[in-house]
Amino acid sequence: MSRARFEERFFGVARRLVIAFLALITLVPFSYMLLLSVKPIDALLLDPGQLWVSAKDFTLATYEEVLRPTAEGGQGFLGMLGNTALVSLGTVALTMLAAIPGAYAVSRLRFFGGRQVSALFLAVYLFPATLLAVPLFVMFARLGLQGSLVGLAIVYIAQTVPVSIYMMKNYFATIPYSIEEAAALDGCSRLQTVRKVVLPLALPSLMATGLYIFMIAWNEFLFALLFLAAAPDKWTVSLGLQLLSNGVEVSKTVLMAGSVVLTVPVVLLFFAAERLLTEGLTSGADKS
């Protein structure tokens, strides 16, 4: 057997093993969480290690309790889902409004320090979130935005704009400049060129960046706790789930149902946009 043939077979087997291992460590915890969410608490206490649920034990009462409003004795996760969706979608919209012009400027315009600006964008992540939490809290409290979903979305924008510009600028750089020159010859202004030519071509990158921003805002906990802890009607799902986990009166099966409610929307959105996400993340790597 030649060396090339051996390497081809070896890495083919190794790739399958790595994929199987990653799938195992990802799917097993989620499957167990899903199993606990449809099991009554008494069945869980009788046999915590049981890896299946019988037909007589199967129940959706945990999801009913999780989604039921607090005024009716539930946990109010349906309202939290609405709050989380508003914050996440608002963060995506505002971030893209700021990041698209920034990414285009960095990739196309020539200005002093343009080559170092990417490193400056990533330098934002050298500062831990806890370092920024107290100054932002004081600032937004004075502006009257404490306990506000709008204020929380603005805080998220400060975290998502730098990485969004960094992600999109590489894609914009791969779009041939001759296309923009042709649009200019046809009478388009730079703004019209960006709107009618560049953005349609950059759709995969825009989708990938938007999905990434959405997942950050959907799962974020620290700033949600800092800004919304005193306003239960404005809680996001991650905040509500964490605070409920500290209560002894809430069963673990209900918490698992809440975890499924938190996880499933992002998973479904990821699979729905998988092709655009993959294309958007890999585009821009080829500089030829």
Side-chain angles (χ1 to χ4, degrees):
M1 180 183 296
S2 65
R3 178 178 177 180
R5 186 63 175 172
F6 171 78
E7 290 181 350
E8 181 181 354
R9 289 188 177 182
F10 173 78
F11 287 110
V13 174
R15 181 180 61 181
R16 291 184 177 87
L17 290 176
V18 170
I19 293 175
F21 174 73
L22 294 177
L24 184 67
I25 63 176
T26 302
L27 295 177
V28 169
F30 182 79
S31 300
Y32 188 62
M33 177 177 69
L34 184 61
L35 174 69
L36 294 183
S37 68
V38 294
K39 181 183 293 188
I41 187 61
D42 53 350
L44 175 63
L45 295 176
L46 289 175
D47 191 358
Q50 188 179 16
L51 298 180
W52 67 89
V53 56
S54 62
K56 67 173 184 177
D57 291 333
F58 181 85
T59 179
L60 295 178
T62 50
Y63 289 95
E64 294 177 3
E65 180 177 349
V66 162
L67 298 175
R68 192 185 310 127
T70 54
E72 301 176 10
Q75 305 301 335
F77 270 49
L78 189 59
M80 295 180 195
L81 282 173
N83 294 337
T84 309
L86 286 175
V87 172
S88 301
L89 294 175
T91 301
V92 171
L94 295 176
T95 299
M96 298 301 282
L97 285 176
I100 289 174
Y104 180 82
V106 172
S107 64
R108 283 290 190 258
L109 305 183
R110 299 292 180 262
F111 53 91
F112 177 76
R115 300 183 63 180
Q116 290 75 31
V117 71
S118 297
L120 293 177
F121 285 140
L122 293 182
V124 173
Y125 290 90
L126 295 176
F127 300 94
T130 53
L131 184 66
L132 304 175
V134 174
L136 285 174
F137 178 81
V138 174
M139 182 188 306
F140 278 73
R142 291 181 177 178
L143 293 175
L145 293 176
Q146 179 187 0
S148 168
L149 296 179
V150 175
L152 184 62
I154 294 174
V155 171
Y156 290 164
I157 293 171
Q159 296 180 298
T160 55
V161 165
V163 70
S164 300
I165 292 177
Y166 185 82
M167 291 175 63
M168 288 190 292
K169 77 175 185 65
N170 291 332
Y171 195 99
F172 286 152
T174 63
I175 298 176
Y177 191 68
S178 58
I179 297 179
E180 297 183 44
E181 292 177 337
L185 291 176
D186 288 338
C188 292
S189 64
R190 184 177 292 272
L191 182 60
Q192 290 175 326
T193 301
V194 172
R195 181 170 59 86
K196 297 181 179 180
V197 178
V198 176
L199 292 186
L201 292 175
L203 182 60
S205 179
L206 300 181
M207 291 295 297
T209 305
L211 181 58
Y212 180 74
I213 297 167
F214 183 87
M215 289 190 294
I216 290 178
W218 185 274
N219 295 309
E220 202 280 331
F221 170 74
L222 175 62
F223 289 107
L225 174 64
L226 189 65
F227 283 84
L228 302 178
D233 59 318
K234 303 291 181 62
W235 282 3
T236 59
V237 178
S238 59
L239 174 60
L241 185 64
Q242 177 62 33
L243 295 182
L244 287 175
S245 66
N246 297 325
V248 295
E249 72 278 0
V250 180
S251 67
K252 298 305 178 185
T253 55
V254 172
L255 291 177
M256 291 301 102
S259 299
V260 173
V261 169
L262 173 64
T263 306
V264 166
V266 176
V267 173
L268 295 178
L269 182 61
F270 178 85
F271 280 111
E274 179 184 5
R275 182 181 61 83
L276 290 175
L277 177 63
T278 303
E279 184 178 349
L281 290 177
T282 55
S283 297
D286 185 8
K287 301 304 180 187
S288 58

